[in-house]
Amino acid sequence: MMSYQKFARDVGFIGMVQILTSLSTFFLLPIITKTLGAYDYGLWAQINITVSLISSLALMGLSMSFVRFLSSETDKKIIREAVYSILFFVTVSGFLASFLLYIFAEPLATFGFNDPEATYFVQAGSLLILLNVIESVSLFYFRIFRQIKKFSYFTLVETFGKLLFILVFLKMGYGLLGVITATLMIQGLIFLIALITIISQIGFVIPRFTYIREYLKFSLPLTPNALIRWVTESSDRYMIAFFLGLGSVGVYSAACSIGNLIQLFVSPLQLILLPELSKLFDENRMDEVRIYMSHSLRYFLIISIPSVFGLSALAKPLLGVLTTQDFVSGWFVIPIIAFAGLLAGIFQIFVNTMFLIKDTKSTTYINILAAVSNVLINLILIPSVGIIGAAISTLVAYFMMAVLCMRMSLKHFKLDFYFMDIAKSVLASMAMYFFVSSLAISGILELFEAMGAGTVIYVIVMLLAGGFTDHEMSLIKRYLLRAKVSPNSK
């Protein structure tokens, strides 16, 4: 049984990996935006969101079946059959999806991207679909069986590998094609290493697809969610391209890539939380399910709330330092998207309840309502107020999703919300915001200094307000103040 202490340590380890990953974003964003410009960066963003949509459909929700059915499985024969049957299944579907995108690249570029000359780049990026689905399933193996360090190392190698190879190809003058090629190379390499590791652990068999019908019965109702969630998260880029052009897509996407950093804070929880909750739920340990979800929500909020305030305070300097003047006009999008990311994280925590009780239909209805609202608000606001309208529609959609999912979840599990701790977090975040906003920032070094100073201000105010538990205080002393603590600290 995985103890709560190990759960917290794994979340902390993944959290550090996510911090390193987000740092790579700070380096990658200026490399791409300053080399490609707003138009080509917008084209890259369009290819990415298109690939993400088709990849999600090609997966047919099987990654969630992987998590739900195998988290508590110990029989190696069943595990081996499940892994290879799912992997083979998504390989075929991923290949077919890549082929279809390649065939229909020209009409997509003409009507979806509003630029027929983008056809060549869409075709070049079509293979990303196949690599996305097979890499996703192979890495899910390590997440499900709680090999967190291996999963984290794969994530780091992929992130910094892309950073290195994109930099090399751009320096060689390959432009957007170099970005696509570097991404293909690294994802292919990660999949091969992951597959070799899996084979070394469980061996290899030719799948008989014994359980695939059961997995599909669970996962297929989730497949429309991929399309619906894509509408909520990414369809605004297509509408921006239609009404405002690919240049505006580039500006909006650059701002969103910063604002969406908030969602990185829920990723460590979600990677470990659902497999652990599934195991506890199957063992009928409902009190522990409630405790895990309550603590996960608290940890997410006391980290994401100051991050929203911090990104809001640094929005304009971030774009000014990391991109070019062509992108700075989108700074006001960052605070809105950051707050939307916080709401998305709340949704991600509470939606676990729906997966546990296998009520995937309710999740679908929530996503449909949010997606329809998102599209309607985009159609009204983008032509009149530009990219800020797209940001507002995203915020409204995630607000609806968070509220509705929370309401349904609380019918099954009554959680502790730690309202006083959250209030203290808001207070500390406001103090940090006013301090950081007063700083003059003109370079990357000053930007990191401001982030560090803001973090210190937040921690100090939280300490003074008593916003941390005894266990959290011991961690702060151990890792930040380098003080020795007793092994019996709680």
Side-chain angles (χ1 to χ4, degrees), residues 98-251:
S98 291
F99 180 72
L100 288 173
L101 179 59
Y102 184 90
I103 295 298
F104 292 101
E106 185 174 357
L108 175 65
T110 302
F111 300 105
F113 291 15
N114 202 20
D115 181 9
E117 295 183 2
T119 300
Y120 173 72
F121 295 105
V122 176
Q123 290 176 332
S126 62
L127 191 58
L128 286 169
I129 298 169
L130 173 60
L131 289 176
N132 272 0
V133 297
I134 59 178
E135 184 199 32
S136 174
V137 169
S138 63
L139 292 184
F140 256 83
Y141 169 88
F142 302 100
R143 169 186 167 184
I144 292 165
F145 297 110
R146 301 167 184 83
Q147 299 179 32
I148 301 306
K149 288 188 177 180
K150 285 188 175 66
F151 180 88
S152 301
Y153 294 146
F154 281 123
T155 302
L156 285 175
V157 170
E158 178 173 354
T159 300
F160 286 96
K162 284 182 182 178
L163 176 64
L164 175 62
F165 278 90
I166 286 175
L167 177 60
V168 170
F169 281 120
L170 287 178
K171 288 293 184 182
M172 293 172 65
Y174 287 105
L176 179 55
L177 183 62
V179 175
I180 296 172
T181 303
T183 305
L184 288 169
M185 288 176 56
I186 293 300
Q187 286 193 231
L189 178 63
I190 293 296
F191 167 69
L192 287 176
I193 296 174
L195 181 61
I196 291 170
T197 306
I198 292 171
I199 292 174
S200 69
Q201 292 185 2
I202 63 173
F204 178 79
V205 295
I206 297 175
R208 301 173 61 185
F209 305 101
T210 307
Y211 310 106
I212 197 70
R213 179 175 295 183
E214 182 182 5
Y215 298 156
L216 286 171
K217 183 178 180 181
F218 174 82
S219 68
L220 283 177
L222 294 173
T223 304
N225 284 349
L227 173 60
I228 299 162
R229 287 292 300 276
W230 180 88
V231 171
T232 303
E233 296 172 354
S234 304
S235 66
D236 48 8
R237 270 75 158 184
Y238 274 89
M239 284 181 266
I240 291 172
F242 179 80
F243 289 113
L244 307 175
L246 280 175
S248 294
V249 174
V251 173

Side-chain angles (χ1 to χ4, degrees), residues 344-411:
I346 294 173
F347 168 79
Q348 286 295 329
I349 291 172
F350 279 98
V351 79
N352 287 312
T353 301
M354 303 297 106
F355 294 136
L356 293 178
I357 63 175
K358 301 179 183 179
D359 183 14
T360 53
K361 289 183 180 180
S362 296
T363 308
T364 301
Y365 296 147
I366 291 173
N367 284 324
I368 289 174
L369 182 60
V372 171
S373 301
N374 180 268
V375 171
L376 292 177
I377 296 172
N378 274 325
L379 289 173
I380 295 170
L381 293 184
I382 290 177
S384 56
V385 297
I387 60 176
I388 194 171
I392 292 171
S393 70
T394 300
L395 177 63
V396 172
Y398 279 124
F399 176 79
M400 294 174 60
M401 291 169 66
V403 170
L404 292 174
C405 191
M406 186 187 305
R407 182 177 179 182
M408 297 186 69
S409 176
L410 292 176
K411 293 179 180 178

